[in-house]
Amino acid sequence: MVAALCVVVLLLLIALAVTLSHNRFTVQRAAVERTWRRVDAELQRRHDLIGALVAVTKAGGVNVSRIVQARSQAMASRGAGPAAQGRAEQLLNQELTSFLAGVPAGLRTGRDFGLLWDRMGESDERVAAESRSYNDSVHALNNRIVAFPTNIVAGATKVARAQYFLPGGRNR
């Protein structure tokens, strides 16, 4: 009788531990998704600024077709996941660097361009900060998924690893 009671208590403790671990995975997954939404919002603001920058330079006679295409691809990658969106943002950053190299000095010194350029810098800093926060959340989740004994719970409940986001950055 005592042995049976010990077995029941042990099974209840194991069930409680599994439930608590799974609940913590759920909370961590929600934190990853919440921080990703913040990254996505900052990227959208950045895309809007790039659109304004393109409009200012297009008015100055600069060819904008490649940067417009790269921006469109980056915007279309929304919802494809952090890894795919990171690759699209890296391509956008490369095109942005090439695009800016072709902007005439006279246009760069203009008030509108300078203001937008400063706002781009602020936007890049916000994207970087939100990306760090997101990647920290991903790191914590992924570490728990592979650590013993939580890896057993993760495998049994099919908790998937999250993707890191590596957006690169604008070259100043």
Side-chain angles (χ1 to χ4, degrees):
M1 180 76 158
V2 173
L5 185 60
C6 287
V7 167
V8 168
V9 168
L10 181 64
L11 289 175
L12 286 174
L13 288 174
I14 290 171
L16 179 63
V18 167
T19 301
L20 291 174
S21 183
H22 180 67
N23 287 347
R24 186 163 172 219
F25 276 125
T26 302
V27 167
Q28 282 184 293
R29 178 62 68 185
V32 166
E33 291 169 2
R34 186 175 51 254
T35 55
W36 177 251
R37 284 191 299 274
R38 290 196 315 251
V39 170
D40 195 42
E42 290 302 332
L43 288 172
Q44 182 59 50
R45 284 187 194 103
R46 184 173 186 269
H47 294 160
D48 292 345
L49 284 171
I50 291 171
L53 195 63
V54 164
V56 166
T57 53
K58 184 177 182 182
V62 176
N63 183 358
V64 298
S65 61
R66 290 183 61 187
I67 188 68
V68 168
Q69 182 181 13
R71 178 179 173 255
S72 296
Q73 288 173 345
M75 291 173 69
S77 72
R78 291 181 75 188
Q85 198 161 347
R87 287 189 297 276
E89 290 297 325
Q90 287 172 353
L91 291 173
L92 176 58
N93 290 334
Q94 290 170 0
E95 284 300 324
L96 185 59
T97 301
S98 298
F99 170 73
L100 293 170
V103 175
L107 191 55
R108 280 186 202 219
T109 58
R111 182 179 169 272
D112 292 340
F113 186 91
L115 183 64
L116 286 169
W117 185 248
D118 289 344
R119 290 181 64 198
M120 280 288 297
E122 293 166 4
S123 177
D124 286 346
E125 290 171 12
R126 286 192 307 270
V127 168
E130 294 298 344
S131 296
R132 280 190 300 275
S133 178
Y134 170 77
N135 285 332
D136 288 346
S137 296
V138 167
H139 183 73
L141 175 66
N142 288 349
N143 278 349
R144 264 195 86 231
I145 288 172
V146 298
F148 181 80
T150 55
N151 63 339
I152 296 169
V153 175
T157 58
K158 298 187 183 352
V159 176
R161 293 176 64 134
Q163 298 175 339
Y164 287 97
F165 178 66
L166 307 170
R170 158 181 90 144
N171 294 329
R172 292 191 141 216

